[in-house]
Amino acid sequence: MPSLALTQRSATELKRINQAFYDALWSGARLVDPSRFNTWPMVRELAMALPRRLEIAPGLRPRLPLDGTYFVDISLAALHELRSHGASAARASIGALPCADESFDLVCALDILEHVADDDKALRELSRVAAPDARMLLSVPLHESAWTAFDEFVGHYRRYEPGQILRKLESHGWSIEQSAIYGMQPTSKTVLGLGQWYLTHQRERALWWYNRVIMPLGLRLQKPLKWQRGMPACEGVDELLLLCRRA
């Protein structure tokens, strides 16, 4: 679970840590087209059916189509690259979206909630900008017992227990329609420790390897995702992709 030092960080400090990490990551990266991710078969029909779309903090790994989607991110490097590819993008955070009430039919926030201190505020904003019959795509890391120093290093504030994220979504008026087992954090503490050391002491070199070698290889090795109704059995699952609907 999060360390005491992490839980005592202010929301401002947490935002600064996240922005510094991801600005460095995206400054040396190229935008990856959404169709190259294993999420694409799952979101393609949704995107075609729901033309008013918002994706929050995609960095240079957007999952929704660039054409017709409105993107929000805090990284200037990411915003510059998104706009250079013709996307509409604004600088803002999930806690203060520059969008009108009920203005989107599909809202996407992958790997975001765990990065903010006040996830209820974030969910209130997502709910505010979502239309009455909107869909929401979320992904969250699971199990406090799986917390590592790497979570802290990349700016995570928490991991969720399956029942916890279910109840939290329900309290904000969302129900889980479908879910998929998503993402896989290396279980080797040695690998995680080595990655953290290089990112701390040789960040430029580590990010070059990540963006030019590890990321392209990871795209080739992606496994197909499969929707199932409701929540799956989550023992040993590192991360969930959730498709939610306004209750």
Side-chain angles (χ1 to χ4, degrees):
M1 61 183 299
S3 67
L4 179 61
L6 184 58
T7 57
Q8 289 177 339
R9 288 178 179 172
S10 68
T12 301
E13 184 181 5
L14 192 64
K15 182 178 179 180
R16 179 186 59 78
I17 292 168
N18 277 292
Q19 183 167 343
F21 181 86
Y22 287 100
D23 266 337
L25 178 62
W26 304 136
S27 63
R30 298 175 181 175
L31 187 143
V32 179
D33 190 85
S35 63
R36 296 189 62 192
F37 290 100
N38 60 355
T39 48
W40 182 246
M42 311 176 85
V43 304
R44 180 173 49 199
E45 287 189 22
L46 277 173
M48 291 177 63
L50 303 171
R52 298 187 302 167
R53 303 184 299 266
L54 169 68
E55 185 167 358
I56 299 161
L60 297 182
R61 310 289 185 258
R63 305 308 171 95
L64 300 185
L66 295 180
D67 186 21
T69 302
Y70 187 62
F71 297 94
V72 167
D73 208 296
I74 62 172
S75 168
L76 292 174
L79 291 171
H80 174 77
E81 189 71 7
L82 285 165
R83 289 166 179 163
S84 72
H85 283 75
S88 298
R91 193 181 190 200
S93 67
I94 193 172
L97 298 173
C99 312
D101 295 357
E102 301 184 359
S103 52
F104 296 102
D105 305 305
L106 177 60
V107 177
C108 180
L110 302 186
D111 301 316
I112 307 303
L113 286 185
E114 65 271 20
H115 286 272
V116 297
D118 191 345
D119 55 350
D120 283 305
K121 180 180 180 182
L123 284 167
R124 283 195 296 271
E125 274 294 272
L126 295 177
S127 301
R128 179 184 66 79
V129 302
D133 196 32
R135 302 295 195 280
M136 179 168 65
L137 278 168
L138 288 178
S139 65
V140 293
L142 297 179
H143 307 303
E144 290 184 352
S145 61
W147 182 270
T148 70
F150 198 75
D151 285 282
E152 184 169 341
F153 182 76
V154 298
H156 287 180
Y157 192 79
R158 69 183 63 78
R159 282 176 168 265
Y160 291 92
E161 299 302 327
Q164 177 189 14
I165 188 63
L166 179 62
R167 291 188 297 272
K168 189 172 285 287
L169 288 169
E170 288 177 344
S171 72
H172 288 275
W174 295 92
S175 61
I176 297 174
E177 280 194 330
Q178 299 182 89
S179 61
I181 296 172
Y182 176 68
M184 183 60 68
Q185 177 174 297
T187 56
S188 170
K189 292 184 179 180
T190 301
V191 172
L192 289 172
L194 187 63
Q196 184 173 338
W197 187 91
Y198 271 98
L199 284 167
T200 302
H201 299 284
Q202 297 188 25
R203 173 166 290 195
E204 185 175 344
R205 183 180 182 186
L207 292 176
W208 187 95
W209 274 93
Y210 176 79
N211 286 318
R212 304 301 173 87
V213 179
I214 298 173
M215 184 64 193
L217 181 62
L219 288 171
R220 289 180 177 272
L221 297 178
Q222 291 177 105
K223 295 180 180 180
L225 299 176
K226 184 178 180 180
W227 285 127
Q228 55 185 295
R229 290 189 178 277
M231 290 277 284
C234 294
E235 184 177 354
V237 174
D238 184 68
E239 189 171 4
L240 277 183
L241 177 66
L242 304 172
L243 177 60
C244 308
R245 185 172 188 165
R246 295 296 292 268

